[in-house]
Amino acid sequence: MASTAHFPANASHVEPAPIPIAIVERDTGIAKDTLRIWERRYGFPNPQRDANGERNYSVEEVEKLRTLKRLMDRGMRPGKLISLPLSELRDMAQAMPARTRSRDEQAVVDGVIGLIRRYQASELRVYLQKLLIQQGLRGFVSQTLARLNQDIGDAWARGAINVAHEHIYTQAVQNVLHGLIATQPVSHGRPRILLTTVPGELHTLGLLMAEALWVADGAECVSLGPQFPVADIPAVVAEGSIDVVALSYSQSFNSTQALNSLRTLRASLPRQVEIWAGGAALGGRRRVDGVRILGPIESTSDTLADWIAAHAD
Ligand code: B12
C-alpha cells in the first residue's frame, strides 16, 4: 500500500514512486476536489499523468500539501500560502505556536514523546497507568488521551516521530485501556453495543476510549476490532442481540465515504437498532438520518443515559 512516510534526505537516489490522488487525499486530509481546483486555479499541485491519464503526485508535492494542511488547520488561507516555497512554509509551521497546553499538560506530552522515541514501551505503559489512577477514567480518557492523540499525530506530521513510534504509543494505550476493561464485571446490561470500523479505517483508539467509558457505565460492549465489512454487520446484530452499532472515522478517512457507509448500514438494519458514530471525519455539520453523530468523547455517557432512559420499562 503506497504511503508518503517522510523521505530521508540521505537515502541513495531511488526515484520515489509517484503517488495517486486517493493516497494524497488520505495522507494530507485535502479532498480530491480541492486538489483539482488548486491545480486549475494556482497551478499547484501540478501532478504528472500516467498512461491512463490518472494524476500522480511527487513526494515533494505531498510534503508541501501536508504542510499547507497544517497551516490551514490553524486558520491560514491557502491562497496566501500556495505560491510560497516548501522551505518557507516549513519555517512558518515550525514557528506556529504549539497547541495551547498548560505546563503540566505539555510535561505529559513531552514525557510520552520522550518514552516512545527511546522505544521504552513498558515505561510508557506504567506512565499512562499512573496518569489513569491519578486522573480517574473520565479525566484520563476525555482530557489526557484526547489531547495526546492530537499531539502524537502532529509530532508524526512534522516528522518528529515515525510510524513505529505511533504504533508503540497505540499499543501502550491499548494495553492500559484493555487492562482496565478486563477488570470490569460482566454487566449483562443493556444496551449491547457492537464496536468496529469500516474497511480502510485502521484507527481504533477513539472506539476503545468510548468502549472503556461505556463499560464503566455498565453497558455490554462487543468489539470486533477494525475494518469489518459493512454488509456483514446486520447478521452479527441479529445473532448477537445487538442494540447499538458504534463506529469511528478518524481525520484520515474520507468524509463522503464515511457518510455513505453510514447510509448503507442504516438502510440494512432494523429501525430499533441505533447507530452511533464519531471521529474527526464526521466533525462539524454532517448529518445522516437515523444515525447519531457524536462529538467529543465526553458525549458517550449522555448518549448512553439517553438510551437507557428511552428503553426504561
Ligand atoms: C495512532 C494513529 C495511527 C495508528 C493507528 C493505530 C490504531 N490501532 O488506532 C497508525 C500508526 C496505524 C496510523 C496509521 C495511519 N495514519 Co494515523 N494517526 C494516529 C493518531 C496519532 C491517533 C489516532 C486516533 O485513534 N485518534 C483518535 C481519533 C478517533 O480521534 P478523533 O478522530 O479526533 O475523535 C475524537 C472524537 O471524535 C471521539 N471519537 C472518535 N471516534 C468516536 C466514536 C464514538 C462512537 C464516539 C462516541 C466518540 C468518538 O473521540 C476522539 C478523541 O476525542 C492520529 C492523530 C489524530 N489527531 O487523530 C493520526 C492521524 C489520524 N493519522 C494520519 C494518517 C495520515 C495516517 C496514515 C495514512 C499514515 C500512513 N501514511 O501510513 C495511516 C492510515 C492507516 C489507515 N488506513 O487508517 C493523519 C490523518 C491526516 C489527515 N488525513 O487529515 C493523523 C491526523 C495524523 C496527522 N496529524 O497527520 N495512525
Side-chain angles (χ1 to χ4, degrees), residues 3 26-27 29 146 149 153 156 166-167 170 174 200-206 247-248 251-252 278-280 294-295 297 300:
S3 160
R26 185 202 64 192
D27 282 15
N149 288 339
W156 173 80
E166 263 193 322
H167 280 274
T170 304
Q174 289 175 335
E201 178 56 279
L202 274 175
H203 296 90
T204 54
L205 294 182
L247 298 150
S248 179
Q251 198 181 322
S252 80
L294 306 174
I297 202 75
T300 48

PDB file of all heavy atoms in Angstrom, residues 3 26-27 29 146 149 153 156 166-167 170 174 200-206 247-248 251-252 278-280 294-295 297 300, ligand 1:
ATOM      1  N   SER A   3       2.478   4.709   0.687  1.00  0.00           N
ATOM      2  CA  SER A   3       2.419   5.615   1.833  1.00  0.00           C
ATOM      3  C   SER A   3       3.397   6.749   1.601  1.00  0.00           C
ATOM      4  O   SER A   3       4.365   6.602   0.886  1.00  0.00           O
ATOM      5  CB  SER A   3       2.807   4.890   3.127  1.00  0.00           C
ATOM      6  OG  SER A   3       3.177   5.891   4.055  1.00  0.00           O
ATOM      7  N   ARG A  26      -5.868  10.879   1.497  1.00  0.00           N
ATOM      8  CA  ARG A  26      -5.879  10.224   2.806  1.00  0.00           C
ATOM      9  C   ARG A  26      -4.760  10.762   3.689  1.00  0.00           C
ATOM     10  O   ARG A  26      -4.957  11.051   4.856  1.00  0.00           O
ATOM     11  CB  ARG A  26      -5.714   8.711   2.632  1.00  0.00           C
ATOM     12  CG  ARG A  26      -5.827   7.932   3.933  1.00  0.00           C
ATOM     13  CD  ARG A  26      -5.155   6.587   3.861  1.00  0.00           C
ATOM     14  NE  ARG A  26      -3.726   6.711   3.672  1.00  0.00           N
ATOM     15  CZ  ARG A  26      -2.940   5.665   3.347  1.00  0.00           C
ATOM     16  NH1 ARG A  26      -3.488   4.481   3.133  1.00  0.00           N
ATOM     17  NH2 ARG A  26      -1.655   5.819   3.207  1.00  0.00           N
ATOM     18  N   ASP A  27      -3.563  10.936   3.100  1.00  0.00           N
ATOM     19  CA  ASP A  27      -2.414  11.297   3.924  1.00  0.00           C
ATOM     20  C   ASP A  27      -2.369  12.767   4.280  1.00  0.00           C
ATOM     21  O   ASP A  27      -1.780  13.151   5.279  1.00  0.00           O
ATOM     22  CB  ASP A  27      -1.120  10.920   3.206  1.00  0.00           C
ATOM     23  CG  ASP A  27      -0.885   9.419   3.333  1.00  0.00           C
ATOM     24  OD1 ASP A  27      -1.857   8.741   3.709  1.00  0.00           O
ATOM     25  OD2 ASP A  27       0.206   8.955   3.063  1.00  0.00           O
ATOM     26  N   GLY A  29      -5.317  14.885   4.065  1.00  0.00           N
ATOM     27  CA  GLY A  29      -6.608  15.380   4.544  1.00  0.00           C
ATOM     28  C   GLY A  29      -7.174  16.448   3.624  1.00  0.00           C
ATOM     29  O   GLY A  29      -8.151  17.102   3.943  1.00  0.00           O
ATOM     30  N   ALA A 146      -7.341  12.265  24.680  1.00  0.00           N
ATOM     31  CA  ALA A 146      -7.854  13.022  23.533  1.00  0.00           C
ATOM     32  C   ALA A 146      -6.799  14.026  23.068  1.00  0.00           C
ATOM     33  O   ALA A 146      -6.548  14.183  21.872  1.00  0.00           O
ATOM     34  CB  ALA A 146      -9.146  13.738  23.922  1.00  0.00           C
ATOM     35  N   ASN A 149      -3.576  12.109  21.582  1.00  0.00           N
ATOM     36  CA  ASN A 149      -3.794  11.629  20.201  1.00  0.00           C
ATOM     37  C   ASN A 149      -3.465  12.733  19.200  1.00  0.00           C
ATOM     38  O   ASN A 149      -2.806  12.514  18.200  1.00  0.00           O
ATOM     39  CB  ASN A 149      -5.247  11.192  20.008  1.00  0.00           C
ATOM     40  CG  ASN A 149      -5.579   9.903  20.717  1.00  0.00           C
ATOM     41  OD1 ASN A 149      -4.697   9.126  21.039  1.00  0.00           O
ATOM     42  ND2 ASN A 149      -6.850   9.695  20.987  1.00  0.00           N
ATOM     43  N   GLY A 153      -0.204  12.823  16.743  1.00  0.00           N
ATOM     44  CA  GLY A 153      -0.461  12.989  15.311  1.00  0.00           C
ATOM     45  C   GLY A 153       0.336  14.158  14.739  1.00  0.00           C
ATOM     46  O   GLY A 153       0.970  14.040  13.683  1.00  0.00           O
ATOM     47  N   TRP A 156       3.975  13.318  14.445  1.00  0.00           N
ATOM     48  CA  TRP A 156       4.218  12.487  13.241  1.00  0.00           C
ATOM     49  C   TRP A 156       4.186  13.357  11.988  1.00  0.00           C
ATOM     50  O   TRP A 156       5.058  13.280  11.138  1.00  0.00           O
ATOM     51  CB  TRP A 156       3.153  11.389  13.133  1.00  0.00           C
ATOM     52  CG  TRP A 156       3.250  10.632  11.867  1.00  0.00           C
ATOM     53  CD1 TRP A 156       4.120   9.626  11.562  1.00  0.00           C
ATOM     54  CD2 TRP A 156       2.484  10.857  10.678  1.00  0.00           C
ATOM     55  NE1 TRP A 156       3.944   9.216  10.263  1.00  0.00           N
ATOM     56  CE2 TRP A 156       2.934   9.955   9.695  1.00  0.00           C
ATOM     57  CE3 TRP A 156       1.452  11.749  10.357  1.00  0.00           C
ATOM     58  CZ2 TRP A 156       2.396   9.903   8.426  1.00  0.00           C
ATOM     59  CZ3 TRP A 156       0.910  11.703   9.084  1.00  0.00           C
ATOM     60  CH2 TRP A 156       1.386  10.785   8.130  1.00  0.00           C
ATOM     61  N   GLU A 166       4.418   5.783  16.542  1.00  0.00           N
ATOM     62  CA  GLU A 166       2.944   5.880  16.659  1.00  0.00           C
ATOM     63  C   GLU A 166       2.368   4.535  17.079  1.00  0.00           C
ATOM     64  O   GLU A 166       1.449   4.454  17.891  1.00  0.00           O
ATOM     65  CB  GLU A 166       2.341   6.276  15.316  1.00  0.00           C
ATOM     66  CG  GLU A 166       2.056   7.754  15.165  1.00  0.00           C
ATOM     67  CD  GLU A 166       1.170   8.033  13.947  1.00  0.00           C
ATOM     68  OE1 GLU A 166       1.363   7.356  12.920  1.00  0.00           O
ATOM     69  OE2 GLU A 166       0.301   8.908  14.017  1.00  0.00           O
ATOM     70  N   HIS A 167       2.945   3.462  16.537  1.00  0.00           N
ATOM     71  CA  HIS A 167       2.457   2.114  16.906  1.00  0.00           C
ATOM     72  C   HIS A 167       2.761   1.820  18.373  1.00  0.00           C
ATOM     73  O   HIS A 167       1.934   1.244  19.087  1.00  0.00           O
ATOM     74  CB  HIS A 167       3.101   1.071  15.990  1.00  0.00           C
ATOM     75  CG  HIS A 167       2.457   0.969  14.643  1.00  0.00           C
ATOM     76  ND1 HIS A 167       1.355   0.170  14.415  1.00  0.00           N
ATOM     77  CD2 HIS A 167       2.719   1.593  13.467  1.00  0.00           C
ATOM     78  CE1 HIS A 167       1.002   0.276  13.135  1.00  0.00           C
ATOM     79  NE2 HIS A 167       1.804   1.140  12.553  1.00  0.00           N
ATOM     80  N   THR A 170       0.241   3.609  20.344  1.00  0.00           N
ATOM     81  CA  THR A 170      -1.067   2.941  20.218  1.00  0.00           C
ATOM     82  C   THR A 170      -1.135   1.683  21.080  1.00  0.00           C
ATOM     83  O   THR A 170      -2.091   1.468  21.826  1.00  0.00           O
ATOM     84  CB  THR A 170      -1.308   2.544  18.746  1.00  0.00           C
ATOM     85  OG1 THR A 170      -1.198   3.714  17.936  1.00  0.00           O
ATOM     86  CG2 THR A 170      -2.664   1.911  18.555  1.00  0.00           C
ATOM     87  N   GLN A 174      -3.614   0.929  24.152  1.00  0.00           N
ATOM     88  CA  GLN A 174      -4.493  -0.253  24.097  1.00  0.00           C
ATOM     89  C   GLN A 174      -4.271  -1.155  25.312  1.00  0.00           C
ATOM     90  O   GLN A 174      -5.225  -1.621  25.932  1.00  0.00           O
ATOM     91  CB  GLN A 174      -4.256  -1.011  22.785  1.00  0.00           C
ATOM     92  CG  GLN A 174      -4.799  -0.273  21.570  1.00  0.00           C
ATOM     93  CD  GLN A 174      -4.473  -0.954  20.256  1.00  0.00           C
ATOM     94  OE1 GLN A 174      -3.492  -1.703  20.161  1.00  0.00           O
ATOM     95  NE2 GLN A 174      -5.290  -0.704  19.245  1.00  0.00           N
ATOM     96  N   GLY A 200     -10.655   0.013   5.563  1.00  0.00           N
ATOM     97  CA  GLY A 200      -9.889   1.202   5.189  1.00  0.00           C
ATOM     98  C   GLY A 200      -9.591   2.083   6.394  1.00  0.00           C
ATOM     99  O   GLY A 200      -8.737   2.966   6.332  1.00  0.00           O
ATOM    100  N   GLU A 201     -10.293   1.862   7.519  1.00  0.00           N
ATOM    101  CA  GLU A 201     -10.053   2.663   8.721  1.00  0.00           C
ATOM    102  C   GLU A 201      -9.344   1.827   9.782  1.00  0.00           C
ATOM    103  O   GLU A 201      -9.938   0.961  10.415  1.00  0.00           O
ATOM    104  CB  GLU A 201     -11.359   3.223   9.289  1.00  0.00           C
ATOM    105  CG  GLU A 201     -11.211   4.030  10.574  1.00  0.00           C
ATOM    106  CD  GLU A 201     -10.245   5.189  10.465  1.00  0.00           C
ATOM    107  OE1 GLU A 201      -9.013   4.951  10.568  1.00  0.00           O
ATOM    108  OE2 GLU A 201     -10.704   6.332  10.248  1.00  0.00           O
ATOM    109  N   LEU A 202      -8.042   2.104   9.984  1.00  0.00           N
ATOM    110  CA  LEU A 202      -7.228   1.344  10.945  1.00  0.00           C
ATOM    111  C   LEU A 202      -7.241   1.976  12.327  1.00  0.00           C
ATOM    112  O   LEU A 202      -6.785   1.392  13.287  1.00  0.00           O
ATOM    113  CB  LEU A 202      -5.768   1.314  10.454  1.00  0.00           C
ATOM    114  CG  LEU A 202      -5.360   0.223   9.481  1.00  0.00           C
ATOM    115  CD1 LEU A 202      -3.907   0.461   9.046  1.00  0.00           C
ATOM    116  CD2 LEU A 202      -5.509  -1.144  10.119  1.00  0.00           C
ATOM    117  N   HIS A 203      -7.722   3.240  12.415  1.00  0.00           N
ATOM    118  CA  HIS A 203      -7.648   3.974  13.685  1.00  0.00           C
ATOM    119  C   HIS A 203      -8.736   3.500  14.642  1.00  0.00           C
ATOM    120  O   HIS A 203      -9.914   3.653  14.363  1.00  0.00           O
ATOM    121  CB  HIS A 203      -7.780   5.473  13.445  1.00  0.00           C
ATOM    122  CG  HIS A 203      -6.655   6.036  12.625  1.00  0.00           C
ATOM    123  ND1 HIS A 203      -6.709   6.103  11.258  1.00  0.00           N
ATOM    124  CD2 HIS A 203      -5.455   6.513  12.992  1.00  0.00           C
ATOM    125  CE1 HIS A 203      -5.576   6.623  10.800  1.00  0.00           C
ATOM    126  NE2 HIS A 203      -4.795   6.881  11.847  1.00  0.00           N
ATOM    127  N   THR A 204      -8.317   2.953  15.764  1.00  0.00           N
ATOM    128  CA  THR A 204      -9.282   2.339  16.692  1.00  0.00           C
ATOM    129  C   THR A 204      -9.267   2.961  18.082  1.00  0.00           C
ATOM    130  O   THR A 204     -10.081   2.588  18.930  1.00  0.00           O
ATOM    131  CB  THR A 204      -8.939   0.841  16.848  1.00  0.00           C
ATOM    132  OG1 THR A 204      -7.563   0.769  17.241  1.00  0.00           O
ATOM    133  CG2 THR A 204      -9.173   0.068  15.575  1.00  0.00           C
ATOM    134  N   LEU A 205      -8.365   3.925  18.350  1.00  0.00           N
ATOM    135  CA  LEU A 205      -8.258   4.456  19.716  1.00  0.00           C
ATOM    136  C   LEU A 205      -9.523   5.191  20.141  1.00  0.00           C
ATOM    137  O   LEU A 205      -9.949   5.102  21.289  1.00  0.00           O
ATOM    138  CB  LEU A 205      -7.028   5.360  19.847  1.00  0.00           C
ATOM    139  CG  LEU A 205      -5.671   4.673  19.688  1.00  0.00           C
ATOM    140  CD1 LEU A 205      -4.540   5.678  19.893  1.00  0.00           C
ATOM    141  CD2 LEU A 205      -5.532   3.486  20.636  1.00  0.00           C
ATOM    142  N   GLY A 206     -10.148   5.902  19.235  1.00  0.00           N
ATOM    143  CA  GLY A 206     -11.385   6.617  19.563  1.00  0.00           C
ATOM    144  C   GLY A 206     -12.452   5.645  20.049  1.00  0.00           C
ATOM    145  O   GLY A 206     -13.110   5.863  21.073  1.00  0.00           O
ATOM    146  N   LEU A 247     -19.436   3.234  15.525  1.00  0.00           N
ATOM    147  CA  LEU A 247     -18.363   3.281  14.525  1.00  0.00           C
ATOM    148  C   LEU A 247     -17.515   4.533  14.720  1.00  0.00           C
ATOM    149  O   LEU A 247     -17.995   5.527  15.272  1.00  0.00           O
ATOM    150  CB  LEU A 247     -18.969   3.298  13.124  1.00  0.00           C
ATOM    151  CG  LEU A 247     -19.795   2.057  12.745  1.00  0.00           C
ATOM    152  CD1 LEU A 247     -20.881   2.445  11.760  1.00  0.00           C
ATOM    153  CD2 LEU A 247     -18.896   0.996  12.161  1.00  0.00           C
ATOM    154  N   SER A 248     -16.245   4.478  14.235  1.00  0.00           N
ATOM    155  CA  SER A 248     -15.364   5.630  14.355  1.00  0.00           C
ATOM    156  C   SER A 248     -14.643   5.896  13.039  1.00  0.00           C
ATOM    157  O   SER A 248     -14.230   4.949  12.365  1.00  0.00           O
ATOM    158  CB  SER A 248     -14.317   5.368  15.443  1.00  0.00           C
ATOM    159  OG  SER A 248     -13.447   6.470  15.561  1.00  0.00           O
ATOM    160  N   GLN A 251      -9.554  11.416  11.180  1.00  0.00           N
ATOM    161  CA  GLN A 251      -9.271  12.501  10.231  1.00  0.00           C
ATOM    162  C   GLN A 251      -8.726  11.980   8.909  1.00  0.00           C
ATOM    163  O   GLN A 251      -8.852  12.614   7.876  1.00  0.00           O
ATOM    164  CB  GLN A 251      -8.252  13.423  10.875  1.00  0.00           C
ATOM    165  CG  GLN A 251      -8.125  14.795  10.275  1.00  0.00           C
ATOM    166  CD  GLN A 251      -7.048  15.593  11.018  1.00  0.00           C
ATOM    167  OE1 GLN A 251      -6.923  15.482  12.231  1.00  0.00           O
ATOM    168  NE2 GLN A 251      -6.255  16.345  10.281  1.00  0.00           N
ATOM    169  N   SER A 252      -8.153  10.752   8.941  1.00  0.00           N
ATOM    170  CA  SER A 252      -7.547  10.249   7.697  1.00  0.00           C
ATOM    171  C   SER A 252      -8.585   9.615   6.785  1.00  0.00           C
ATOM    172  O   SER A 252      -8.278   9.266   5.661  1.00  0.00           O
ATOM    173  CB  SER A 252      -6.460   9.224   8.023  1.00  0.00           C
ATOM    174  OG  SER A 252      -7.052   7.980   8.310  1.00  0.00           O
ATOM    175  N   GLY A 278     -18.646   8.467  15.530  1.00  0.00           N
ATOM    176  CA  GLY A 278     -17.843   9.616  15.947  1.00  0.00           C
ATOM    177  C   GLY A 278     -16.527   9.649  15.190  1.00  0.00           C
ATOM    178  O   GLY A 278     -16.255   8.787  14.350  1.00  0.00           O
ATOM    179  N   GLY A 279     -15.722  10.678  15.495  1.00  0.00           N
ATOM    180  CA  GLY A 279     -14.419  10.801  14.857  1.00  0.00           C
ATOM    181  C   GLY A 279     -14.328  12.064  14.018  1.00  0.00           C
ATOM    182  O   GLY A 279     -15.343  12.594  13.549  1.00  0.00           O
ATOM    183  N   ALA A 280     -13.093  12.522  13.825  1.00  0.00           N
ATOM    184  CA  ALA A 280     -12.856  13.811  13.164  1.00  0.00           C
ATOM    185  C   ALA A 280     -13.426  13.857  11.750  1.00  0.00           C
ATOM    186  O   ALA A 280     -13.835  14.928  11.278  1.00  0.00           O
ATOM    187  CB  ALA A 280     -11.364  14.107  13.156  1.00  0.00           C
ATOM    188  N   LEU A 294     -21.824  11.608  17.025  1.00  0.00           N
ATOM    189  CA  LEU A 294     -21.435  12.069  18.357  1.00  0.00           C
ATOM    190  C   LEU A 294     -20.187  12.928  18.292  1.00  0.00           C
ATOM    191  O   LEU A 294     -19.299  12.679  17.482  1.00  0.00           O
ATOM    192  CB  LEU A 294     -21.206  10.852  19.264  1.00  0.00           C
ATOM    193  CG  LEU A 294     -22.399   9.869  19.310  1.00  0.00           C
ATOM    194  CD1 LEU A 294     -22.045   8.631  20.100  1.00  0.00           C
ATOM    195  CD2 LEU A 294     -23.629  10.553  19.893  1.00  0.00           C
ATOM    196  N   GLY A 295     -20.123  13.934  19.181  1.00  0.00           N
ATOM    197  CA  GLY A 295     -18.987  14.861  19.188  1.00  0.00           C
ATOM    198  C   GLY A 295     -17.833  14.286  19.975  1.00  0.00           C
ATOM    199  O   GLY A 295     -17.440  13.136  19.803  1.00  0.00           O
ATOM    200  N   ILE A 297     -15.393  12.856  22.957  1.00  0.00           N
ATOM    201  CA  ILE A 297     -15.553  11.591  23.687  1.00  0.00           C
ATOM    202  C   ILE A 297     -16.430  11.757  24.926  1.00  0.00           C
ATOM    203  O   ILE A 297     -17.117  10.816  25.345  1.00  0.00           O
ATOM    204  CB  ILE A 297     -14.168  11.011  24.025  1.00  0.00           C
ATOM    205  CG1 ILE A 297     -14.234   9.517  24.282  1.00  0.00           C
ATOM    206  CG2 ILE A 297     -13.513  11.788  25.139  1.00  0.00           C
ATOM    207  CD1 ILE A 297     -14.404   8.687  23.039  1.00  0.00           C
ATOM    208  N   THR A 300     -20.117  10.350  25.311  1.00  0.00           N
ATOM    209  CA  THR A 300     -20.504   8.940  25.421  1.00  0.00           C
ATOM    210  C   THR A 300     -21.505   8.702  26.544  1.00  0.00           C
ATOM    211  O   THR A 300     -22.514   8.026  26.358  1.00  0.00           O
ATOM    212  CB  THR A 300     -19.261   8.069  25.691  1.00  0.00           C
ATOM    213  OG1 THR A 300     -18.520   8.692  26.739  1.00  0.00           O
ATOM    214  CG2 THR A 300     -18.409   7.918  24.476  1.00  0.00           C
TER     215      THR A 300
HETATM  216  C1  B12 B   1      -2.443   6.343  16.395  1.00  0.00           C
HETATM  217  C2  B12 B   1      -2.538   6.837  14.953  1.00  0.00           C
HETATM  218  C3  B12 B   1      -2.264   5.929  13.919  1.00  0.00           C
HETATM  219  C4  B12 B   1      -2.049   4.458  14.179  1.00  0.00           C
HETATM  220  C5  B12 B   1      -3.444   3.819  14.426  1.00  0.00           C
HETATM  221  C6  B12 B   1      -3.340   2.608  15.306  1.00  0.00           C
HETATM  222  C7  B12 B   1      -4.728   2.222  15.863  1.00  0.00           C
HETATM  223  N1  B12 B   1      -4.917   0.960  16.011  1.00  0.00           N
HETATM  224  O1  B12 B   1      -5.575   3.037  16.138  1.00  0.00           O
HETATM  225  C8  B12 B   1      -1.394   4.015  12.856  1.00  0.00           C
HETATM  226  C9  B12 B   1       0.115   4.090  13.003  1.00  0.00           C
HETATM  227  C10 B12 B   1      -1.779   2.600  12.380  1.00  0.00           C
HETATM  228  C11 B12 B   1      -1.843   5.101  11.910  1.00  0.00           C
HETATM  229  C12 B12 B   1      -1.831   4.946  10.536  1.00  0.00           C
HETATM  230  C13 B12 B   1      -2.111   5.963   9.673  1.00  0.00           C
HETATM  231  N2  B12 B   1      -2.363   7.245   9.979  1.00  0.00           N
HETATM  232 CO1  B12 B   1      -2.723   7.845  11.768  1.00  0.00          CO
HETATM  233  N3  B12 B   1      -2.947   8.673  13.430  1.00  0.00           N
HETATM  234  C14 B12 B   1      -2.887   8.174  14.652  1.00  0.00           C
HETATM  235  C15 B12 B   1      -3.241   9.275  15.678  1.00  0.00           C
HETATM  236  C16 B12 B   1      -1.986   9.762  16.314  1.00  0.00           C
HETATM  237  C17 B12 B   1      -4.273   8.890  16.771  1.00  0.00           C
HETATM  238  C18 B12 B   1      -5.403   8.163  16.092  1.00  0.00           C
HETATM  239  C19 B12 B   1      -6.667   8.037  16.811  1.00  0.00           C
HETATM  240  O2  B12 B   1      -7.120   6.954  17.004  1.00  0.00           O
HETATM  241  N4  B12 B   1      -7.242   9.182  17.178  1.00  0.00           N
HETATM  242  C20 B12 B   1      -8.498   9.132  17.832  1.00  0.00           C
HETATM  243  C21 B12 B   1      -9.480   9.598  16.848  1.00  0.00           C
HETATM  244  C22 B12 B   1     -10.528   8.660  16.651  1.00  0.00           C
HETATM  245  O3  B12 B   1      -9.746  10.860  17.318  1.00  0.00           O
HETATM  246  P1  B12 B   1     -10.746  11.858  16.627  1.00  0.00           P
HETATM  247  O4  B12 B   1     -10.982  11.444  15.256  1.00  0.00           O
HETATM  248  O5  B12 B   1     -10.219  13.181  16.889  1.00  0.00           O
HETATM  249  O6  B12 B   1     -12.068  11.529  17.506  1.00  0.00           O
HETATM  250  C23 B12 B   1     -12.270  12.094  18.730  1.00  0.00           C
HETATM  251  C24 B12 B   1     -13.750  12.221  18.953  1.00  0.00           C
HETATM  252  O7  B12 B   1     -14.453  12.415  17.776  1.00  0.00           O
HETATM  253  C25 B12 B   1     -14.147  10.972  19.660  1.00  0.00           C
HETATM  254  N5  B12 B   1     -14.499   9.804  18.859  1.00  0.00           N
HETATM  255  C26 B12 B   1     -13.814   9.249  17.859  1.00  0.00           C
HETATM  256  N6  B12 B   1     -14.416   8.155  17.412  1.00  0.00           N
HETATM  257  C27 B12 B   1     -15.531   8.001  18.160  1.00  0.00           C
HETATM  258  C28 B12 B   1     -16.539   7.045  18.115  1.00  0.00           C
HETATM  259  C29 B12 B   1     -17.579   7.151  19.024  1.00  0.00           C
HETATM  260  C30 B12 B   1     -18.668   6.110  18.973  1.00  0.00           C
HETATM  261  C31 B12 B   1     -17.604   8.227  19.962  1.00  0.00           C
HETATM  262  C32 B12 B   1     -18.716   8.316  20.970  1.00  0.00           C
HETATM  263  C33 B12 B   1     -16.598   9.194  20.001  1.00  0.00           C
HETATM  264  C34 B12 B   1     -15.572   9.070  19.094  1.00  0.00           C
HETATM  265  O8  B12 B   1     -13.024  10.601  20.408  1.00  0.00           O
HETATM  266  C35 B12 B   1     -11.809  11.084  19.801  1.00  0.00           C
HETATM  267  C36 B12 B   1     -10.973  11.706  20.887  1.00  0.00           C
HETATM  268  O9  B12 B   1     -11.503  12.844  21.365  1.00  0.00           O
HETATM  269  C37 B12 B   1      -3.915  10.341  14.730  1.00  0.00           C
HETATM  270  C38 B12 B   1      -3.924  11.757  15.257  1.00  0.00           C
HETATM  271  C39 B12 B   1      -5.387  12.277  15.473  1.00  0.00           C
HETATM  272  N7  B12 B   1      -5.468  13.558  15.616  1.00  0.00           N
HETATM  273  O10 B12 B   1      -6.355  11.562  15.499  1.00  0.00           O
HETATM  274  C40 B12 B   1      -3.139  10.107  13.413  1.00  0.00           C
HETATM  275  C41 B12 B   1      -3.797  10.507  12.104  1.00  0.00           C
HETATM  276  C42 B12 B   1      -5.303  10.288  12.129  1.00  0.00           C
HETATM  277  N8  B12 B   1      -3.216   9.566  11.132  1.00  0.00           N
HETATM  278  C43 B12 B   1      -2.996  10.107   9.974  1.00  0.00           C
HETATM  279  C44 B12 B   1      -2.501   9.429   8.836  1.00  0.00           C
HETATM  280  C45 B12 B   1      -2.235  10.265   7.579  1.00  0.00           C
HETATM  281  C46 B12 B   1      -2.275   8.021   8.861  1.00  0.00           C
HETATM  282  C47 B12 B   1      -1.781   7.170   7.674  1.00  0.00           C
HETATM  283  C48 B12 B   1      -2.465   7.434   6.361  1.00  0.00           C
HETATM  284  C49 B12 B   1      -0.267   7.327   7.588  1.00  0.00           C
HETATM  285  C50 B12 B   1       0.381   6.495   6.521  1.00  0.00           C
HETATM  286  N9  B12 B   1       0.728   7.135   5.510  1.00  0.00           N
HETATM  287  O11 B12 B   1       0.522   5.325   6.660  1.00  0.00           O
HETATM  288  C51 B12 B   1      -2.119   5.729   8.166  1.00  0.00           C
HETATM  289  C52 B12 B   1      -3.580   5.304   7.699  1.00  0.00           C
HETATM  290  C53 B12 B   1      -3.985   3.974   8.219  1.00  0.00           C
HETATM  291  C54 B12 B   1      -5.454   3.687   7.859  1.00  0.00           C
HETATM  292  N10 B12 B   1      -5.708   3.098   6.739  1.00  0.00           N
HETATM  293  O12 B12 B   1      -6.344   4.020   8.637  1.00  0.00           O
HETATM  294  C55 B12 B   1      -3.294  11.607   9.967  1.00  0.00           C
HETATM  295  C56 B12 B   1      -4.539  11.986   9.125  1.00  0.00           C
HETATM  296  C57 B12 B   1      -4.231  13.313   8.382  1.00  0.00           C
HETATM  297  C58 B12 B   1      -5.389  13.686   7.538  1.00  0.00           C
HETATM  298  N11 B12 B   1      -5.660  12.923   6.528  1.00  0.00           N
HETATM  299  O13 B12 B   1      -6.024  14.649   7.814  1.00  0.00           O
HETATM  300  C59 B12 B   1      -3.414  11.935  11.506  1.00  0.00           C
HETATM  301  C60 B12 B   1      -4.448  13.020  11.833  1.00  0.00           C
HETATM  302  C61 B12 B   1      -2.020  12.398  11.958  1.00  0.00           C
HETATM  303  C62 B12 B   1      -1.681  13.831  11.440  1.00  0.00           C
HETATM  304  N12 B12 B   1      -1.746  14.798  12.311  1.00  0.00           N
HETATM  305  O14 B12 B   1      -1.416  13.991  10.308  1.00  0.00           O
HETATM  306  N13 B12 B   1      -2.224   6.204  12.582  1.00  0.00           N
END
